Amino acid sequence: MRNGVTDRFRSLPISRTAPLLGSVLADVLRYLIAVVILFAIGTLLGFRVQGGAPAALGAAGLAILFGFCLSWLTVLIGVLVRSAEAVTAFSFIAFLPLQLGSSLAGPTDTLPGWLRAWADINPVTHVMDACHALLNGTPEAGSVGRTLLWSAVLFATCCPLAVRAYGRQE
């Protein structure tokens, strides 16, 4: 936000959303490449998707969709803070509880009660549970719907706020 590229974007006859959307779409491309690599390595190591190709595509799509929506939170932080170091610090602080207090590393049943309470409402837990269920061919118990709901909430709040904040920095 502090270099001349941002000023150049503002002088061009393009939508105010274009630079932000370009950044987020570049993130989505990285997510897509990461998912392809992850499935390739998993297949080489012997993992087989129990739900078949539709379940694998569903799990990959769900993870990428959530990543897309969560990227708007990072964009919002970047527009509001402006300093690269501060964005890194704020993002670390914002995402650490999402990662550690979830079913990312293991089942939430093994967590202490206070952390399990957080994990049960944590959107990352819902994404992980949905992807696990789809890939393993087990019942998903509403985690797909909760992931879609969290994605919609993140997108509906962070995207307009980021675009508005970016537009005000003229």
Side-chain angles (χ1 to χ4, degrees):
M1 296 299 295
R2 293 205 284 188
N3 60 22
V5 173
T6 304
D7 294 331
R8 176 70 180 131
F9 286 149
R10 286 199 180 101
S11 70
L12 294 172
I14 59 174
S15 167
R16 293 282 182 230
T17 316
L20 303 179
L21 186 59
S23 172
V24 173
L25 290 179
D27 287 344
V28 169
L29 181 61
R30 283 193 295 273
Y31 302 153
L32 185 59
I33 292 168
V35 166
V36 168
I37 291 170
L38 184 68
F39 273 110
I41 291 172
T43 301
L44 288 173
L45 292 175
F47 178 77
R48 299 295 179 258
V49 176
Q50 301 303 313
L57 289 174
L62 201 60
I64 291 170
L65 172 70
F66 184 75
F68 168 78
C69 296
L70 198 59
S71 289
W72 282 103
L73 176 60
T74 308
V75 168
L76 177 61
I77 292 170
V79 170
L80 293 175
V81 176
R82 293 197 194 181
S83 163
E85 296 82 17
V87 170
T88 302
F90 279 112
S91 296
F92 179 76
I93 291 167
F95 295 138
L96 189 65
L98 291 175
Q99 295 169 356
L100 296 180
S102 72
S103 62
L104 186 65
T108 58
D109 299 344
T110 61
L111 298 174
W114 62 272
L115 190 53
R116 190 174 331 132
W118 164 246
D120 289 341
I121 61 169
N122 187 338
V124 174
T125 295
H126 301 307
V127 175
M128 293 305 301
D129 291 349
C131 289
H132 284 149
L134 288 169
L135 294 173
N136 292 325
T138 57
E140 53 89 19
S143 56
V144 171
R146 286 190 293 275
T147 299
L148 293 173
L149 179 64
W150 271 110
S151 297
V153 167
L154 281 168
F155 182 76
T157 56
C158 295
C159 179
L161 290 173
V163 171
R164 177 181 289 169
Y166 181 74
R168 288 185 176 170
Q169 293 178 357
E170 306 241 16

